[in-house]
């Protein structure tokens, strides 16, 4: 009788998948273990999608792309600046209201 020694499988390194939109998709545990690579690829290749329970949950992308998406650089620094930039600034608006005296209720 010949006894066979079972072969031990060496674990393969998980390879990221490509999502439908573009970029690369990573499972959460893989992204945590290889964060430096995710970071580097985000800068070099664009958005990196991180999935959790099989669904896209987070996107890592360069600041320049984020700024372009939210136009952060064009947002006013304060509420006062926001109102100064308003297209309604300088208009003579009537901001008076008729006094509300309530209603009559029979008790």
């Amino acid at each position: 009788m010949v006894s066979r020694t079972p072969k031990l499988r060496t674990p393969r390194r998980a390879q990221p998948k490509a999502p439908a939109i573009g970029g690369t998709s990573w499972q959460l545990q893989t992204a945590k273990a290889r964060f430096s690579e995710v970071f580097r690829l985000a800068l070099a290749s664009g958005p990196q999608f991180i999935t959790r329970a099989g669904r896209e949950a987070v996107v890592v992308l360069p600041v320049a792309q984020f700024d372009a998406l939210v136009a952060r650089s064009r947002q006013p620094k304060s509420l006062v600046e926001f109102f100064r930039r308003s297209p309604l600034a300088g208009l003579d608006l009537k901001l008076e209201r008729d006094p509300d005296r309530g209603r009559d209720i029979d008790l």
Side-chain angles (χ1 to χ4, degrees):
M1 184 171 189
V2 178
S3 65
R4 292 187 176 176
T5 308
K7 290 185 179 181
L8 298 175
R9 292 186 180 184
T10 56
R12 291 186 180 191
R13 200 170 179 179
Q15 294 298 317
K17 299 176 183 175
I21 298 172
T24 305
S25 180
W26 302 77
Q27 290 181 355
L28 178 60
Q29 63 271 20
T30 306
K32 287 191 322 187
R34 297 169 58 189
F35 183 74
S36 294
E37 185 176 353
V38 173
F39 183 87
R40 182 183 54 75
L41 284 172
L43 291 174
S45 305
Q48 302 297 303
F49 298 85
I50 300 175
T51 62
R52 183 172 168 185
R55 293 186 169 177
E56 291 177 349
V58 177
V59 179
V60 178
L61 63 143
V63 172
Q65 284 183 322
F66 176 77
D67 284 342
L69 287 173
V70 297
R72 185 168 66 174
S73 60
R74 290 182 282 161
Q75 292 180 349
K77 305 266 186 240
S78 69
L79 186 60
V80 172
E81 186 179 332
F82 171 78
F83 285 116
R84 283 185 185 148
R85 288 184 180 183
S86 170
L88 300 176
L91 290 180
D92 187 24
L93 299 175
K94 180 182 175 187
L95 300 175
E96 296 174 10
R97 293 177 35 175
D98 293 332
D100 183 9
R101 303 196 195 289
R103 56 186 169 154
D104 295 329
I105 299 176
D106 294 328
L107 297 175

